[in-house]
């Protein structure tokens, strides 16, 4: 404190000399001094500084700063990690939706034009060498990039005959072609390419091979010319169908000839067994003949739009299955080709429409050809159709020289380019569908490069119903692999999203009532001492590995539930009835006994009641099931309601995953309810409300943001669960609301199929797309949940 200035105060001697006014003057001057003291500024008390205190204060500030910056860095790190994950998923998925591109590589004169007109163009797998089959029986092999002739080879056409028909067999595995001759004979040729690496340089050497020998095969004994012909060459059998020309002896016929190889133990070469038959069908108007790869189905196509479908499984007795018109009135079929797999026919007409006709079983379970989709590729007639060898894509050329590439299942137009101003006369896609070769009527050859990595993915194929080959109707299908090389992958994400929501729904249906009711009782009604044991015990349940829960659900719970299905349904009735009966009986217990039970320990009495009720439910379920359903409940569901039962189903998942979600919901909800300020509950009780009224109208409303957060976090836990659904559902990607059917979730699908997917393949990227869908779903759902939680907090914060 600063010193008080007293210079203006008179000395005490003068005060004393003042007669009767001494006391009053003293009081007045004392008050004046006190007023001056109050007017003087006060100096703060300085703390006693020591070296140890300064050190602790400085260290406390450093720790506070480190904690503050650590929390900020951790939060930013989480945000950065989430953003990086999102952009990495987007980086992997983005190529699925990049449009296909094409680029002209070279244009040159048709190699060896003097050899005749082109019957067929072919390319080998490396896109380095092409082959041109001509109507003179010559084959010119040339470099696709430059048109330089590599070699010219002649097919062994007998002298005195000429080529009257030509057809290509399967282009896969050294594609075969057949020449029909004017004397009723035919010769089959395969073109093959040998790859060598002299001096570390790739060299491709083309050659011709005769799978049934160089000697022509006699197909018609009368020597009639073969006007139309088709062939399929297999490992052990070869099937030929030929239409013969009219002769003075009679009209032409459609002949079916099958050669079966029979290997002898004592002969080096296999013997050929021949089977001949005649197709009972008018040969007039037959413009094209096609045989499928299994050599069991035959298709006869007429110019006027008629399609004949024959069963040739029995080569000695072919039978017609169907005859129908496949184009509109007044239209003509201008081109026809098999789609990869030989299940569907792609039929082009004079109006520029390409229709896909596939074999579908009718109501009587008989195979029949049915139109499943169509493509408007041009306003001009479709000149040619060439199918991809490994996917369900195809290429079309029209009369204006426009080339289009499409994918049938995805129903996508991938590329549409004018390759030439002249009419295309021949065209071919490379085996890998990454290059095309087109010959035009002006004597030019056009070589183009194609970038078309993921044609089978589209919004329709991912999210809408698709009519796949061999399926009776459009459907949502996920089936990414098969043992069959002709298999078409099916990448519909809809059944996976459906399975994810279905599993989460049934898990929450089990977990929410148990977790929330348990949290309410534990936080509000249970004795504190009992709560000290119950809450940690339930929270420890959340630490159980989900792989253990999935293992138990798949190997123990699923068989047990299948055997005691009626017992589980009986639990829903007998346990509540048992608890209510016990509560009714408890009110008649003498007060001397009930008062000995401390408040909040009531739940301990119900434990044996629940266990006993559960035991009774399983004991009475078997005789009750026999009495009511005359057998098992599963058989009754199947017979009466048409509901099948899979051992690993949504009910098993609901119980197992609900058990895993309960600790999460319980812990967060219990903390929210227990944290409600005591003055709110005490005030409510003081105003005359009962404990239950206080709970319903005060506590739950105040704790509703926390309870809502618990539900949302539990739901997110259920959506992202992998191991339980992986081991307890059967992983069947079906869309069925029945609780007794299996499912497959997005997370489980990624875990199952990612190890077997080829990096950067369509399958690989679609799995990442599934992960992106799961990521976005969780992000959007949690964001909406947070918005709702904040609104609830603002609404009930005034209580």
């Amino acid at each position: 404190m600063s010193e008080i200035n007293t210079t203006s105060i008179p000395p005490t001697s003068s005060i004393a000399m003042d007669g009767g006014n001494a006391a009053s003057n003293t009081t007045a001057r004392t008050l004046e001094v006190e007023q001056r003291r109050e007017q003087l500024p006060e100096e703060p008390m300085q703390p006693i500084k020591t070296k140890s205190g300064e050190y602790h204060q400085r260290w406390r500030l450093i720790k506070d700063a480190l904690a503050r910056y650590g929390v900020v860095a951790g939060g930013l790190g989480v945000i950065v990690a989430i953003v990086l994950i999102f952009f990495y998923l987007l980086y992997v998925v983005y190529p699925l939706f990049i449009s296909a591109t094409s680029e002209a590589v070279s244009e040159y004169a048709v190699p060896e034009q003097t050899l005749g007109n082109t019957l067929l163009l072919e390319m080998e797998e490396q896109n380095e060498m092409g082959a041109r089959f001509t109507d003179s029986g010559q084959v010119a092999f040339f470099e696709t990039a430059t048109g330089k002739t590599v070699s010219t080879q002649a097919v062994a056409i007998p002298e005195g005959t000429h080529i009257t028909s030509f057809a290509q067999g399967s282009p896969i595995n050294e594609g075969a072609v057949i020449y029909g001759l004017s004397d009723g004979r035919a010769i089959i040729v395969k073109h093959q390419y040998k790859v060598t690496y002299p001096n570390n340089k790739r060299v491709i050497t083309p050659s011709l091979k005769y799978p049934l020998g160089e000697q022509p095969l006699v197909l018609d004994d009368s020597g009639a010319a073969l006007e139309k012909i088709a062939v399929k060459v297999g490992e052990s059998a070869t099937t030929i169908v030929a239409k013969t020309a009219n002769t003075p002896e009679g009209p032409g016929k459609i002949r079916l000839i099958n050669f079966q190889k029979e290997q002898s133990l004592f002969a080096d070469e296999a013997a050929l067994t021949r089977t001949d038959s005649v197709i009972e069908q008018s040969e007039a108007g037959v413009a094209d003949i096609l045989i499928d790869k299994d050599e069991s189905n035959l298709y006869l196509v007429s110019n006027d739009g008629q399609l004949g479908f024959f069963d040739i499984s029995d080569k000695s007795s072919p039978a017609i299955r169907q005859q129908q018109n496949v184009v509109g009135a007044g239209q003509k079929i201008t081109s026809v080709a098999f789609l990869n797999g030989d299940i569907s026919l792609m039929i082009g007409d004079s109006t520029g429409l390409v229709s896909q006709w596939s074999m579908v079983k009718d109501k009587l379970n008989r195979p029949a050809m049915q139109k499943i989709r169509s493509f408007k590729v041009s306003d001009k007639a479709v000149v040619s159709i060439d199918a991809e060898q490994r996917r369900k894509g195809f290429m079309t050329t029209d009369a204006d020289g426009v080339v289009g590439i499409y994918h049938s299942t995805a129903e996508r137009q991938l590329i549409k380019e004018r390759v030439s101003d002249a009419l295309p006369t021949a065209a071919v896609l490379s085996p890998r569908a990454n290059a095309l070769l087109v010959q035009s009527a002006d004597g030019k050859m056009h070589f183009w490069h194609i970038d078309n990595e993921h044609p089978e993915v589209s919004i329709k194929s991912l999210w809408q119903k698709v009519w796949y080959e061999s399926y009776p109707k459009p459907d949502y299908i996920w089936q990414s692999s098969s043992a069959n090389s002709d298999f078409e992958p099916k990448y519909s994400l809809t059944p996976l999203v459906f399975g994810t929501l279905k599993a989460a729904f049934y898990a929450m249906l089990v977990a929410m009532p148990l977790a929330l009711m348990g949290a309410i009782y534990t936080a509000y009604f249970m004795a504190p001492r009992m709560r000290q044991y119950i809450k940690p015990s339930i929270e420890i349940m959340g630490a159980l590995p989900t792989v253990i829960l999935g293992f138990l659900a798949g190997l123990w719970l699923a068989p047990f539930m299948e055997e005691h299905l009626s017992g589980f349904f009986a639990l829903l009735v007998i346990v509540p009835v048992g608890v209510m009966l016990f509560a009714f009986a408890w009110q008649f217990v003498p007060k001397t006994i009930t008062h000995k039970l401390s408040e909040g320990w009531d739940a301990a009495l119900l434990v044996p009641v629940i266990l006993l009720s559960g035991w009774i439910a399983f004991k009475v379920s078997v005789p009750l099931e026999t009495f009511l359903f005359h057998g098992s409940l599963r058989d009754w569901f199947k017979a009466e309601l048409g509901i099948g039962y899979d051992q690993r189903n949504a009910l098993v998942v609901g119980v197992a995953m609900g058990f895993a979600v309960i600790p999460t919901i319980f812990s967060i909800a219990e903390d929210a309810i227990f944290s409600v300020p005591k003055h709110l509950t005490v005030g409510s009780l003081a105003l005359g409300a009962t404990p239950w009224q206080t709970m319903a109208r005060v506590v739950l409303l105040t704790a509703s943001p926390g309870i809502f957060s618990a539900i949302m976090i539990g739901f997110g836990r259920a959506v992202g669960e992998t191991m339980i659904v992986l081991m307890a559902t059967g992983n069947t990607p079906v869309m069925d609301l029945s609780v007794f059917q299996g499912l497959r979730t997005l997370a489980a699908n990624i875990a199952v199929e990612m190890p077997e997917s080829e990096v950067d393949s369509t399958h690989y990227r679609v799995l990442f797309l599934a992960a992106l869908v799961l990521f976005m779903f969780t992000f959007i759902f949690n964001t909406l949940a947070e918005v709702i939680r904040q609104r609830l907090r603002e609404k009930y914060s005034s209580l």
Side-chain angles (χ1 to χ4, degrees), residues 564 566-567 570 574 612-625:
H564 302 87
S566 58
I574 295 179
L612 179 62
S613 301
W615 179 80
I616 294 174
F618 283 104
K619 280 297 181 182
V620 303
S621 63
V622 176
L624 193 64
E625 183 180 36

Side-chain angles (χ1 to χ4, degrees), residues 91-117:
Y91 168 77
V92 178
V93 169
Y94 177 69
L96 289 175
F97 303 99
I98 296 178
S99 301
T101 59
S102 59
E103 180 184 7
V105 178
S106 58
E107 178 182 323
Y108 46 84
V110 175
E112 304 295 334
Q113 294 191 49
T114 58
L115 296 181
N117 296 324

Side-chain angles (χ1 to χ4, degrees), residues 69-79:
Y69 292 126
V71 171
V72 172
L76 292 176
V78 171
I79 295 174

Side-chain angles (χ1 to χ4, degrees), residues 410-424:
E411 299 187 21
R412 291 181 62 189
Q413 175 185 295
L414 304 165
I415 294 174
K416 196 168 186 179
E417 294 282 355
R418 182 179 294 277
V419 175
S420 171
D421 293 330
L423 176 69

